[in-house]
Amino acid sequence: MSEEKVEGILFDLDGVLIDSFDAWLSAYNEALEKFGKEALDEDEFREKCWGPEVKDSMKKFGLEEEAVNYCYSRYEANMDKVEISPEINRILGSIEKKMGLVTNTNTEQMAKILELHDFRRYFDVIVHGDDVEKKKPAPDSVLKACKLLKIRPESAILVGDTESDVRAGRKAGCKVIGVGIEGDWRIESLKELPDLLSEISG
């Protein structure tokens, strides 16, 4: 992918820009235990629940809307556990491309996250989970972001950390940088992103 073809960079939120793993783990376990299921350890949670939409994850345990809504409410209560990389401003500020944020997080929750960690200024567009009919791993949010940015999906790179991100990006026609996961390129930390983007564009 040459310099003139890279028109935009799209980012996932959870696990890429913020570390919300502990907050979601607590939220899921509180919901599971409330509705009579066993709590998950970190490995089980990562395998069964990390990445897909909450509704789809809860279906694996035979739980429906009431449990989903409770899980979301407990996530909001656990937002003090959400952390952000101290270098996020340097990393995002170094990218001289159009940028979009594509997340399964809904608008209300995103607003609360931005109250704590305001990195909105770096993004030309933000597509929330409730802005589209189908969340990732469907490509809807990625395609919507590209449309709003007025770029072709084939000229965009999606940065994500789950199989849902990889599938969404590839279904949309984007290249994918995996953070700790295989994509078209792989990095282990967001700190590696600026150098990789320079290499790709070069």
Side-chain angles (χ1 to χ4, degrees):
M1 189 176 279
S2 62
E3 168 66 24
E4 63 272 17
K5 291 184 179 178
V6 182
E7 298 180 305
I9 311 297
L10 307 178
F11 288 84
D12 172 50
L13 176 67
D14 295 293
V16 175
L17 299 182
I18 64 172
D19 181 359
S20 56
F21 186 87
D22 288 343
W24 277 116
L25 175 61
S26 295
Y28 267 89
N29 279 338
E30 288 178 46
L32 289 172
E33 290 180 328
K34 178 178 175 64
F35 291 91
K37 307 296 181 180
E38 291 187 8
L40 304 173
D41 63 29
E42 290 188 5
D43 290 338
E44 290 173 324
F45 173 70
R46 192 179 300 278
E47 178 184 351
K48 296 178 180 179
C49 304
W50 187 242
E53 186 180 352
V54 175
K55 177 178 65 176
D56 294 331
S57 295
M58 284 298 181
K59 283 181 180 178
K60 298 174 185 177
F61 304 96
L63 299 175
E64 299 294 338
E65 185 174 0
E66 186 178 1
V68 171
N69 291 337
Y70 186 77
C71 184
Y72 277 127
S73 71
R74 297 316 301 158
Y75 173 66
E76 292 177 11
N78 282 293
M79 276 190 178
D80 60 320
K81 296 180 180 178
V82 174
E83 298 180 353
I84 186 171
S85 167
E87 296 194 57
I88 198 71
N89 291 321
R90 177 187 66 80
I91 294 166
L92 295 179
S94 72
I95 299 172
E96 298 179 353
K97 302 286 184 185
K98 292 180 179 180
M99 289 200 290
L101 180 60
V102 288
T103 176
N104 282 351
T105 300
N106 66 36
T107 304
E108 183 178 353
Q109 290 168 342
M110 189 69 205
K112 292 180 179 179
I113 290 170
L114 289 173
E115 286 177 9
L116 299 172
H117 311 289
D118 189 7
F119 42 80
R120 185 198 315 265
R121 64 188 179 278
Y122 295 108
F123 294 99
D124 300 290
V125 300
I126 297 178
V127 179
H128 310 85
D130 51 349
D131 291 332
V132 292
E133 182 177 349
K134 294 181 180 179
K135 300 181 182 182
K136 293 179 292 183
D140 300 35
S141 57
V142 179
L143 292 171
K144 184 177 180 70
C146 290
K147 183 177 181 179
L148 292 171
L149 289 171
K150 298 181 180 179
I151 62 175
R152 295 172 295 107
E154 295 79 9
S155 69
I157 296 175
L158 174 66
V159 184
D161 73 312
T162 68
E163 188 61 34
S164 289
D165 296 321
V166 175
R167 288 168 59 191
R170 287 180 170 165
K171 285 179 183 177
C174 300
K175 295 289 188 181
V176 179
I177 295 175
V179 182
I181 189 173
E182 295 303 321
D184 296 285
W185 302 273
R186 175 174 177 148
I187 56 178
E188 299 306 321
S189 166
L190 204 62
K191 294 177 183 179
E192 302 169 45
L193 183 63
D195 287 343
L196 176 59
L197 290 177
S198 295
E199 180 183 325
I200 293 170
S201 297

